[in-house]
């Protein structure tokens, strides 16, 4: 029998039109003592307006340095079943494709070893299993491994790479997001499982600039599918959209950031040389417009959530990279970045913040990249003359030549 608690404050969260996590915890609490005590502690936290969780330091599986978020109750005598309430992050399949058997496996595993509560999925992407004890961590890892799953990333490490559904379900995918995610995950196992960075590092891979995975806002390294060929136009289908009420001038032409589209009421024209490859027109007129090969990816760097200097979006480092297996160009570039970051990064400093602190010039030099216009985030913000000390020793006209 599980203990039942009166939860008048938590009950308020079940009211209204939206699903409630409280309802799900109550379902689990009917048969799981850990979920029942979780309700009791949460109610007390709401009543006292303070948390009763504490972080007890690093706790993980032998051979791993991360993947488990240690959590302990400050009230173990009052709520003994959540004295330990560790969270396990599990490396999710690329594109979040599960079989029903895999879902049942996770549910059975967590009913046996944990609270029965799961989070599908965490912000990083992991399958999150909420609430277990220290003694259960080794058995959990063993069962996961025997069934083809692995623990994901946490702490100052490479976080579990994630991607959109890509070519598996999306007609707009211009790179194989699933294969890239798998290859990166396999290549960087040490960096994923054994924290060694100044802070976290995230890869997110999306098949096109629509960015369904929000890579540009959430990933230290965003890999975004793009194209080099002209946008193919089916004029008859454009006219069909007009008949259905689409205002081409207002919704397409005026919204183009490159100002490269024109419409005379009968024919749509695109000056592809000025196209910014934002994908807006293609997404608004599917079937009428489509990108053409060659296909590849933009590589961007530096996004993160707020902490020291606030949220930042990533900015373009390589406007087009051919993404051919085994993606050696991307891997080699990434290792250069990590070496530099490990040498100069401060504790809890993301790589984007290091670039802002030490300068884009230094970052491009260690990357072996030349500055190009696509790297400019804002007009008159990024310097494009990278003067070196030896340039000062040259005669004025020699400084402009190599």
């Amino acid at each position: 029998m599980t203990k039942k608690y009166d939860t008048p404050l938590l009950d308020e969260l079940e009211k209204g039109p939206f699903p409630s996590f409280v309802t799900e915890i109550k379902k689990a609490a009917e048969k799981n003592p850990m979920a029942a005590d979780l309700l009791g502690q949460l109610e007390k936290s709401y009543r006292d307006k303070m948390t009763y969780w504490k972080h007890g330091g690093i706790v993980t599986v032998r051979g791993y340095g991360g993947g488990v978020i240690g959590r302990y109750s400050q009230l173990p005598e009052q709520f003994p079943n959540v004295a330990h309430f560790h969270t396990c992050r599990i490396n999710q399949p690329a594109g979040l494709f599960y079989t029903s058997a895999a879902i049942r496996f996770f549910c059975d595993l967590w009913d046996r070893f944990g609270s029965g509560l799961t989070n599908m999925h965490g912000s990083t992407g992991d399958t999150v299993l909420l609430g277990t004890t220290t003694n259960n961590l080794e058995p959990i890892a063993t069962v996961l491994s025997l069934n083809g799953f692995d623990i994901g990333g946490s702490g100052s490490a490479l976080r579990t790479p994630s991607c959109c559904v890509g070519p598996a379900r999306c007609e707009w995918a211009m790179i194989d997001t699933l294969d890239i995610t798998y290859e990166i995950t396999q290549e960087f196992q040490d960096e994923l499982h054994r924290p060694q960075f100044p802070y976290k590092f995230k890869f997110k891979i999306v098949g096109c600039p629509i960015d369904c995975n929000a890579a540009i806002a959430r990933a230290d390294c965003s890999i975004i599918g793009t194209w080099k060929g002209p946008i193919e136009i089916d004029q008859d289908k454009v006219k069909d959209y007009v008949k259905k009420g689409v205002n081409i001038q207002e919704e397409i032409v005026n919204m183009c950031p490159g100002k490269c589209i024109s419409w005379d009421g009968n024919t749509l024209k695109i000056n592809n040389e000025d196209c910014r490859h934002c994908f807006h027109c293609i997404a608004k007129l599917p079937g009428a417009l489509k990108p053409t090969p060659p296909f590849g990816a933009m590589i961007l760097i530096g996004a993160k959530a707020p902490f020291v200097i606030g949220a930042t979006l990533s900015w373009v480092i390589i406007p087009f990279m051919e993404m051919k297996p085994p993606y050696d160009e991307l891997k080699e570039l990434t290792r250069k970045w990590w070496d530099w970051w490990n040498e100069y990064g401060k504790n809890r400093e993301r790589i984007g913040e290091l670039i802002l602190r030490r300068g884009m010039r230094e970052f491009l030099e260690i990357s072996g990249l030349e500055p190009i216009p696509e790297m400019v985030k804002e007009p008159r913000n990024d310097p494009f003359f990278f003067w070196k000390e030896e340039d000062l020793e040259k005669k004025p006209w020699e400084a402009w030549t190599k």
Side-chain angles (χ1 to χ4, degrees):
M1 290 290 293
T2 60
K3 185 175 180 179
K4 292 188 176 181
Y5 296 90
D6 291 328
T7 57
L9 295 178
L10 291 179
D11 293 346
E12 290 295 314
L13 298 178
E14 294 185 275
K15 299 177 181 179
F18 302 107
S20 171
F21 73 95
V22 174
T23 301
E24 300 308 313
I25 297 176
K26 286 181 177 180
K27 291 179 183 178
E30 292 177 2
K31 58 181 180 180
N32 192 298
M34 185 173 279
D37 274 11
L38 174 63
L39 282 174
Q41 180 164 312
L42 277 175
E43 178 69 21
K44 182 172 176 58
S45 289
Y46 276 49
R47 185 171 61 249
D48 298 346
K49 298 181 180 180
M50 65 177 293
T51 182
Y52 288 107
W53 296 114
K54 62 180 179 180
H55 193 290
I58 298 297
V59 56
T60 187
V61 176
R62 183 176 300 174
Y64 291 72
V68 179
I69 314 301
R71 187 171 290 113
Y72 301 88
S73 172
Q74 293 180 346
L75 305 170
E77 296 82 12
Q78 189 173 350
F79 304 105
N81 293 304
V82 292
H84 296 186
F85 198 78
H86 308 318
T87 290
C88 291
R89 289 180 175 171
I90 312 304
N91 197 323
Q92 81 284 352
L96 307 181
F97 286 103
Y98 294 89
T99 63
S100 57
I103 297 295
R104 291 191 183 96
F105 161 73
F106 279 122
C107 292
D108 292 342
L109 175 74
W110 218 235
D111 281 340
R112 179 181 177 187
F113 290 111
S115 68
L117 300 170
T118 65
N119 177 0
M120 306 289 277
H121 293 83
S123 179
T124 295
D126 300 279
T127 308
V128 178
L129 306 179
L130 296 159
T132 190
T133 63
T134 302
N135 291 338
N136 281 340
L137 293 177
E138 293 293 341
I140 289 167
T142 299
V143 175
L144 285 168
S145 181
L146 291 173
N147 284 271
F149 291 96
D150 197 5
I151 292 174
S154 70
S156 297
L158 172 64
R159 298 301 180 83
T160 312
S162 65
C163 66
C164 68
V165 296
R169 290 185 66 94
C170 183
E171 63 183 296
W172 287 333
M174 288 173 276
I175 54 175
D176 192 338
T177 58
L178 309 171
D179 187 59
I180 294 168
T181 300
Y182 179 80
E183 187 67 32
I184 289 174
T185 303
Q186 295 300 317
E187 176 73 17
F188 298 129
Q189 285 289 294
D190 265 4
E191 292 80 4
L192 179 63
H193 291 309
R194 298 167 185 89
Q196 56 189 277
F197 297 152
Y199 201 23
K200 67 182 80 169
F201 190 97
K202 297 181 179 181
F203 280 109
K204 294 193 186 298
I205 303 98
V206 291
C208 76
I210 290 178
D211 193 8
C212 289
N213 212 26
I216 196 172
R218 303 191 299 145
D220 297 273
C221 180
S222 310
I223 302 170
I224 300 177
T226 189
W227 74 100
K228 269 192 171 181
I231 296 176
E232 186 177 291
I233 306 173
D234 187 323
Q235 299 292 350
D236 290 335
K237 290 184 179 179
V238 172
K239 293 173 184 176
D240 287 341
Y241 276 105
V242 173
K243 293 176 182 177
K244 294 175 182 177
V246 175
N247 188 322
I248 299 295
Q249 184 64 42
E250 292 295 327
E251 298 180 48
I252 307 300
V253 177
N254 294 350
M255 297 296 289
C256 176
K259 305 301 179 185
C260 67
I261 305 177
S262 63
W263 167 250
D264 63 5
N266 188 59
T267 303
L268 186 73
K269 295 180 180 180
I270 298 177
N271 179 3
N272 286 282
E273 290 185 357
D274 290 336
C275 177
R276 305 287 179 84
H277 291 201
C278 72
F279 218 80
H280 170 76
C281 62
I282 299 171
K284 293 290 288 186
L285 303 175
L289 306 179
K290 68 177 182 179
T292 60
F295 297 129
M298 288 178 280
I299 310 300
L300 299 89
I301 196 80
K304 60 174 182 60
F307 49 100
V308 178
I309 62 170
T312 60
L313 299 178
S314 56
W315 60 92
V316 174
I317 294 301
I318 299 178
F320 189 88
M321 177 184 287
E322 289 189 13
M323 300 301 291
K324 295 182 178 179
Y327 315 107
D328 288 333
E329 184 179 1
L330 175 65
K331 294 174 185 176
E332 291 171 8
L333 188 61
T334 299
R335 293 195 186 280
K336 290 179 182 179
W337 294 343
W338 287 346
D339 288 343
W340 178 70
W341 185 36
N342 278 330
E343 182 172 357
Y344 295 106
K346 296 179 180 179
N347 186 39
R348 298 180 71 81
E349 182 177 48
R350 298 284 280 271
I351 192 169
E353 291 182 308
L354 178 61
I355 294 170
L356 293 174
R357 179 165 63 86
R358 292 188 67 93
M360 178 60 77
R361 166 181 172 168
E362 183 174 332
F363 178 73
L364 294 181
E365 286 178 344
I366 65 98
S367 301
L369 300 173
E370 293 291 329
I372 53 177
E374 287 87 347
M375 295 175 182
V376 176
K377 291 185 74 174
E378 300 167 1
R380 300 188 180 278
N381 186 35
D382 295 279
F384 270 73
F385 288 97
F386 287 180
W387 299 102
K388 299 180 181 179
E389 190 172 341
E390 55 266 28
D391 291 335
L392 302 178
E393 300 172 0
K394 297 179 181 179
K395 296 176 181 179
W397 59 86
E398 292 177 335
W400 295 84
T401 61
K402 293 185 178 180

